[in-house]
Amino acid sequence: MSVVPPEIHKINNPIEQLKAMLTWFKKDLFTWTNKPKCIKCGLNTNMEDLGHVHPNNEDREYGASRVEGYKCRNCRIITRFPRYNSPIKLFETRTGRCGEWANAFTA
């Protein structure tokens, strides 16, 4: 099953197809994350970086050996940001930075 929209598959010119896929990936599929959104209030404007926290079993299952912790200064809730390597998990979360983007795009 492909996550790529059918209209991109219909483009015959390989260069134009690649351009369309890159645009779709960047604008519609994946989001860039500097700091994650708070799991309670949904904001990411007031997140305090707590550094690295220990990965849990699910993190490790999907290749996240590094997990960043953030504390919302509004809610005081801690949000974890696992740095997943697994394309399966990345297509579920659809967010990340350079490493996540590369792992998802080259899957």
Side-chain angles (χ1 to χ4, degrees):
M1 183 173 141
S2 175
V3 296
V4 178
E7 59 269 17
I8 292 177
H9 286 289
K10 294 176 185 175
I11 299 172
N12 291 325
N13 181 309
I15 300 297
E16 294 305 313
Q17 187 181 47
L18 180 60
K19 286 179 183 178
M21 190 162 22
L22 288 168
T23 299
W24 162 76
F25 186 87
K26 184 177 179 182
K27 294 185 183 243
D28 298 324
L29 178 69
F30 232 70
T31 59
W32 185 269
T33 300
N34 286 320
K35 291 183 179 180
K37 293 179 180 178
C38 173
I39 58 174
K40 184 176 179 186
C41 71
L43 300 175
N44 69 346
T45 55
N46 207 7
M47 299 294 277
E48 175 186 352
D49 187 346
L50 301 176
H52 293 280
V53 298
H54 291 288
N56 62 28
N57 288 337
E58 181 183 12
D59 300 333
R60 285 189 289 276
E61 179 182 345
Y62 292 105
S65 58
R66 292 181 303 127
V67 179
E68 299 169 7
Y70 293 88
K71 186 175 187 178
C72 180
R73 291 186 178 115
N74 298 328
C75 308
R76 313 300 293 162
I77 298 293
I78 293 178
T79 298
R80 300 167 75 259
F81 182 59
R83 303 298 305 274
Y84 293 118
N85 288 308
S86 166
I88 292 169
K89 191 66 170 177
L90 291 171
F91 280 109
E92 178 186 320
T93 63
R94 297 173 52 179
T95 191
R97 297 194 196 108
C98 294
E100 289 86 358
W101 281 55
N103 288 337
F105 192 77
T106 59

